[in-house]
Amino acid sequence: GAGVSQSPRYKVAKRGQDVALRCDPISGHVSLFWYQQALGQGPEFLTYFQNEAQLDKSGLPSDRFFAERPEGSVSTLKIQRTQQEDSAVYLCASSLKVDLLAFFGQGTRLTVV
Amino acid sequence: GESVGLHLPTLSVQEGDNSIINCAYSNSASDYFIWYKQESGKGPQFIIDIRSNMDKRQGQRVTVLLNKTVKHLSLQIAATQPGDSAVYFCAERYPSGGGADGLTFGKGTHLIIQP
C-alpha cells in the first residue's frame, strides 16, 4: 500500500478483555516498530521487528503485551486482560532498513472502560 | 476531540513569522535525529532528519540545527502557515549494539499559528 495502515482506528474494550491491533507496513519494508502514545505525551517505543524476527521487546510494559509478525509483513499487537492504564494510541511504523527513517500509521486509539 | 497537544509546551507565532522549536536530547551517543509533526488524530509525519556528523540541514522552509556539545536540536520553520499548526516532536536514535533500536521521542511542542 501507499502508507502504513492500522486497524481498527478506534477500539473500546472492557477492562479484562483481550484486544488485537493490526499493522500493515509499507510493502517491502523490513523494519517494523510499535509505539504507545499516551494523551499529551510523545510516542514510547514498545517493540521492533526485522522481518519476522522480534529483535527488541524491551519497551513492552508487561507480559500482557505480545507482538508478532509471523510472515515478516503484517504485525499484530495483542494486549491480554486490558487495564485502564493501557488506554492510549498505539502507533505502528515501518522503514526500509533499521537505520532509515520510519513512516508512521495513523494509530489505533484504545480506550479501556 | 482529544488533542495530541494537551499539556505540552506551547509556542504561538503570527502567520508569516519564523518559528524555532527547541529540543534537548538525552544520549550523547545518539547518531540520528528526526523531527516529526503530528496533527490531532494522525500519526507522526516526517519533516526532516539529520545525522550526528552534520550540524545543519535544510529542507523546504525548514532547517534543523544540531549542537552535540550541549545535546540540543532545533527546528526552524520559515514563513509559518496555518497548516504548520501541530505538535512537533524531536526523536533520537542511539545504537545499543544489541539489535535495532526504536526512536526515543522528546515531549513535544505544540505550535499554534495565529492569523
Side-chain angles (χ1 to χ4, degrees):
Chain A
V4 178
S5 177
Q6 292 187 245
S7 61
R9 284 295 315 278
Y10 303 93
K11 176 70 179 177
V12 178
K14 291 184 178 179
R15 190 167 49 186
Q17 184 180 350
D18 297 349
V19 298
L21 312 180
R22 177 187 170 105
C23 172
D24 282 84
I26 294 173
S27 178
H29 277 198
V30 169
S31 300
L32 186 145
F33 303 84
W34 282 99
Y35 290 84
Q36 181 190 58
Q37 186 174 25
L39 185 64
Q41 302 292 321
E44 293 193 357
F45 171 77
L46 293 177
T47 187
Y48 161 76
F49 289 86
Q50 183 172 323
N51 295 308
E52 69 279 2
Q54 189 175 19
L55 298 186
D56 188 344
K57 53 182 180 179
S58 61
L60 296 176
S62 78
D63 59 7
R64 295 186 295 104
F65 286 70
F66 172 75
E68 59 182 7
R69 194 187 185 197
E71 297 179 359
S73 55
V74 171
S75 177
T76 304
L77 176 67
K78 297 179 179 178
I79 308 173
Q80 297 176 323
R81 304 180 305 281
T82 52
Q83 304 295 317
Q84 280 194 314
E85 61 263 29
D86 300 335
S87 295
V89 174
Y90 290 86
L91 294 163
C92 177
S94 72
S95 63
L96 198 55
K97 290 169 55 177
V98 66
D99 61 347
L100 297 180
L101 70 93
F103 294 90
F104 282 82
Q106 292 197 321
T108 294
R109 180 176 295 280
L110 173 66
T111 303
V112 181
V113 297
Chain B
E2 294 173 328
S3 168
V4 71
L6 192 66
H7 306 309
L8 294 171
T10 298
L11 174 64
S12 183
V13 300
Q14 291 293 124
E15 182 179 351
D17 286 353
N18 299 333
S19 65
I20 300 176
I21 301 171
N22 296 302
C23 174
Y25 63 91
S26 59
N27 195 311
S28 57
S30 292
D31 62 357
Y32 182 53
F33 305 88
I34 307 176
W35 278 101
Y36 282 95
K37 170 186 179 183
Q38 189 173 28
E39 297 170 287
S40 287
K42 298 185 178 180
Q45 175 189 357
F46 170 83
I47 301 174
I48 192 167
D49 60 356
I50 188 168
R51 295 194 182 275
S52 58
N53 60 353
M54 303 171 67
D55 54 21
K56 180 179 180 179
R57 189 161 189 225
Q58 287 185 295
Q60 186 177 12
R61 286 202 304 119
V62 294
T63 300
V64 56
L65 299 177
L66 174 63
N67 185 331
K68 294 182 287 293
T69 303
V70 295
K71 294 190 292 185
H72 184 267
L73 200 64
S74 69
L75 175 70
Q76 300 176 0
I77 304 175
T80 52
Q81 303 168 358
D84 295 330
S85 292
V87 176
Y88 289 81
F89 293 100
C90 67
E92 62 182 298
R93 187 182 71 92
Y94 55 91
S96 72
D101 298 277
L103 297 170
T104 299
F105 282 77
K107 295 192 182 302
T109 296
H110 189 186
L111 178 65
I112 297 173
I113 308 302
Q114 305 279 7

